[in-house]
Amino acid sequence: MGKAKIRIGCGAGFSGDRLEPAVILAEKGELDYLVLECLAERTIALAQKRKLQDPEQGYDPLLERRIRSLLPLLVQNKIRLISNMGAANPIAGAQKIIEIAGELGLSISVAAITGDDVLVKIDPNWPALETGAALEKSGPMISANAYLGIEPILEALQSEAQIILTGRVADPSLFLAPMIHAFGWKTDDYDLLGKGTVIGHLLECAGHITGGYFADPIKKPVAGMAELGHPFADVFPDGSAVISKVDGTGGVVNVQTAKEQLLYEVLNPYEYYTPDVIADFTTVHLSESGPDQVSVRGGTGKNKPATYKVSVGYKAFFLGEGEISYAGSAALERAELAGEILTQRLKGQFPDLRIDYIGSSSVHRGNFGHQAAPYEIRVRAVAKASSVSQAALIGEEVEALYTNGPAGGGGVRKGVNEVIGIVSVLLDRELVEPKVCIFTI
């Protein structure tokens, strides 16, 4: 309590993020806290699906690799790790961390936060926020996870746990909780919570603010992209911060990268809803205070919402697809003929069949008058289906083009995936009961 400054690093911005930036932060970043933000809306539903197949699974697929590389550094440098890598199964994830620590001969305490799984409390007849229709109209529900806030993380921080593993928690809360813990902020001081939420939001996507998603080789060149560093923030008791990255890592931190991240996923900058505070981003001031350093001041907040947002995953459909390439003279014309053949053979069974000409019209579904004669084109056929066998017909028809024409097709790829959809509802806070379980070795 009463610290003059803390340093928080963000070593991952999504489940599949690189492993090395977090290791560099833990080794050279002189951190107090390292956050790994590894959950997205569909990620948690897919994790629940894995847990249904195996009760010992459901935590992040990269948890073991991340922990093995980080754990010795966390212990050596006395860094506390906060991460939502627990996904659908924080208890099993915590037990796996304890197992790894034992193999490495390290003593560690892990706090697992549960309570975000609220599937049994969701009425299928409730309307989805996105559609207004009953949840059951979307498809069979497989998951429902509430976006928890700071409260259970603060409880875990009061313990001796060096690693705090959560399930679904609002992204900024992972960063806000250690600020409150370190500086003794009151949880109803909404101006300070608004400022801390701004900082957490700026950090949460990791490489976004160090130039990753920002980079454009023509308009916004960024050096050292192959060794992109991830950010850390020096946070002060007044809710201000300086965001930077480890010296010698690639990328850039400047006002432009910070502004792009500040606006990322923000629908209303006057009211950015989290479980902890409704933050106002309109008074944030960003300035460059040195090379790869951005000072962050401002931001306010008001009362926290009376409800939690709940992300509901459901079985949407099976997706069948197939791809084949055509190259050389008249590549586009041969590709378009392939598309016509596929349309004639499949449209009756798949009314929403989509044919893409990758390299010509696959992203924007048209060329907008900028048509050129490409040397190579890849045809992609894709459609929704109600079963695996029906979805497989798409790839089978694409593969049949090998010998049934047009000429010169090759490199077929086909597949079937079960697609998990996401909708949302609101749930009264008193119906959600977070819990903290401690594991030690």
Side-chain angles (χ1 to χ4, degrees), residues 255-427:
V255 168
Q256 288 177 290
T257 65
K259 283 183 177 179
E260 286 198 7
Q261 175 56 32
L262 183 66
L263 297 174
Y264 178 69
E265 292 184 335
V266 175
L267 298 177
N268 181 356
Y270 290 92
E271 293 186 330
Y272 182 76
Y273 276 71
T274 80
D276 312 309
V277 62
I278 302 173
D280 185 343
F281 287 6
T282 62
T283 59
V284 175
H285 179 72
L286 304 170
S287 61
E288 292 180 24
S289 53
D292 290 317
Q293 291 185 348
V294 170
S295 295
V296 183
R297 294 187 177 275
T300 58
K302 58 185 179 182
N303 199 16
K304 63 186 177 184
T307 55
Y308 284 116
K309 180 181 178 181
V310 177
S311 180
V312 178
Y314 64 92
K315 292 185 177 182
F317 51 83
F318 293 94
L319 191 74
E321 61 182 323
E323 296 180 4
I324 187 169
S325 293
Y326 295 91
S329 177
L332 179 58
E333 289 80 2
R334 283 180 286 129
E336 289 174 338
L337 176 55
E340 293 172 7
I341 295 169
L342 293 170
T343 299
Q344 290 179 38
R345 293 188 62 80
L346 293 169
K347 193 70 173 179
Q349 299 177 72
F350 303 95
D352 63 347
L353 177 70
R354 173 170 170 167
I355 305 294
D356 288 330
Y357 301 100
I358 300 173
S360 176
S361 63
S362 59
V363 175
H364 295 125
R365 306 182 94 169
N367 57 53
F368 299 99
H370 299 287
Q371 183 68 45
Y375 183 80
E376 57 187 43
I377 287 288
R378 189 157 178 84
V379 180
R380 175 178 181 258
V382 61
K384 300 176 182 178
S386 58
S387 67
V388 172
S389 58
Q390 184 190 25
L393 295 176
I394 304 293
E396 291 171 5
E397 283 294 341
V398 172
E399 187 172 38
L401 295 175
Y402 266 141
T403 56
N404 291 281
V412 167
R413 183 190 69 86
K414 61 180 181 178
V416 174
N417 291 306
E418 184 179 17
V419 175
I420 302 301
I422 298 293
V423 288
S424 306
V425 293
L426 299 178
L427 185 65

Side-chain angles (χ1 to χ4, degrees), residues 13-14 17-18 202 204-217 219-223 225 228-231 250-254 256-265 363:
F14 74 107
D17 214 339
R18 292 174 182 160
L202 287 170
E204 69 189 33
C205 292
H208 270 209
I209 201 170
T210 55
Y213 200 69
F214 167 88
D216 180 323
K219 297 180 179 179
K220 299 179 296 181
V222 175
M225 291 288 291
L228 189 76
H230 283 186
V252 63
V253 179
N254 59 30
Q256 288 177 290
T257 65
K259 283 183 177 179
E260 286 198 7
Q261 175 56 32
L262 183 66
L263 297 174
Y264 178 69
E265 292 184 335
V363 175

Side-chain angles (χ1 to χ4, degrees), residues 31-271:
L31 304 179
D32 298 297
Y33 299 92
L34 175 63
V35 174
L36 303 176
E37 198 292 285
C38 295
L39 276 185
E41 286 72 21
R42 191 169 279 109
T43 315
I44 186 72
L46 293 172
Q48 291 283 15
K49 184 179 175 182
R50 293 196 302 274
K51 184 180 177 183
L52 288 172
Q53 296 168 343
D54 181 352
E56 298 302 314
Q57 296 299 314
Y59 52 83
D60 188 274
L62 291 178
L63 179 145
E64 296 181 42
R65 290 173 61 191
R66 291 191 192 278
I67 291 299
R68 283 189 186 278
S69 61
L70 286 172
L71 201 51
L73 293 169
L74 298 176
V75 173
Q76 175 185 326
N77 295 328
K78 299 179 180 179
I79 301 167
R80 300 186 81 172
L81 175 68
I82 304 173
S83 178
N84 52 20
M85 285 192 297
N89 204 343
I91 296 296
Q95 292 170 336
K96 177 57 67 173
I97 293 172
I98 293 296
E99 177 185 318
I100 293 170
E103 293 174 6
L104 297 176
L106 299 172
S107 297
I108 198 78
S109 177
V110 182
I113 294 174
T114 61
D116 61 296
D117 187 340
V118 293
L119 181 60
V120 297
K121 300 179 181 181
I122 301 299
D123 187 336
N125 293 307
W126 288 351
L129 295 178
E130 293 83 357
T131 65
L135 292 171
E136 63 182 3
K137 296 294 185 182
S138 296
M141 293 190 301
I142 63 169
S143 67
N145 293 81
Y147 285 77
L148 302 182
I150 54 175
E151 289 90 349
I153 304 177
L154 288 173
E155 180 182 342
L157 286 167
Q158 293 292 336
S159 74
E160 296 299 317
Q162 193 163 6
I163 296 177
I164 299 172
L165 196 67
T166 79
R168 179 72 274 177
V169 170
D171 299 349
S173 303
L174 299 168
F175 302 86
L176 178 60
M179 300 178 206
I180 297 171
H181 175 74
F183 301 134
W185 292 350
K186 295 181 179 179
T187 55
D188 61 356
D189 188 335
Y190 294 115
D191 277 347
L192 278 176
L193 267 58
K195 291 176 171 62
T197 296
V198 168
I199 298 165
H201 176 69
L202 287 170
L203 290 173
E204 69 189 33
C205 292
H208 270 209
I209 201 170
T210 55
Y213 200 69
F214 167 88
D216 180 323
I218 304 300
K219 297 180 179 179
K220 299 179 296 181
V222 175
M225 291 288 291
E227 295 81 34
L228 189 76
H230 283 186
F232 62 77
D234 289 327
V235 187
F236 302 92
D238 64 353
S240 63
V242 177
I243 296 178
S244 188
K245 64 183 184 68
V246 174
D247 289 342
T249 58
V252 63
V253 179
N254 59 30
V255 168
Q256 288 177 290
T257 65
K259 283 183 177 179
E260 286 198 7
Q261 175 56 32
L262 183 66
L263 297 174
Y264 178 69
E265 292 184 335
V266 175
L267 298 177
N268 181 356
Y270 290 92
E271 293 186 330

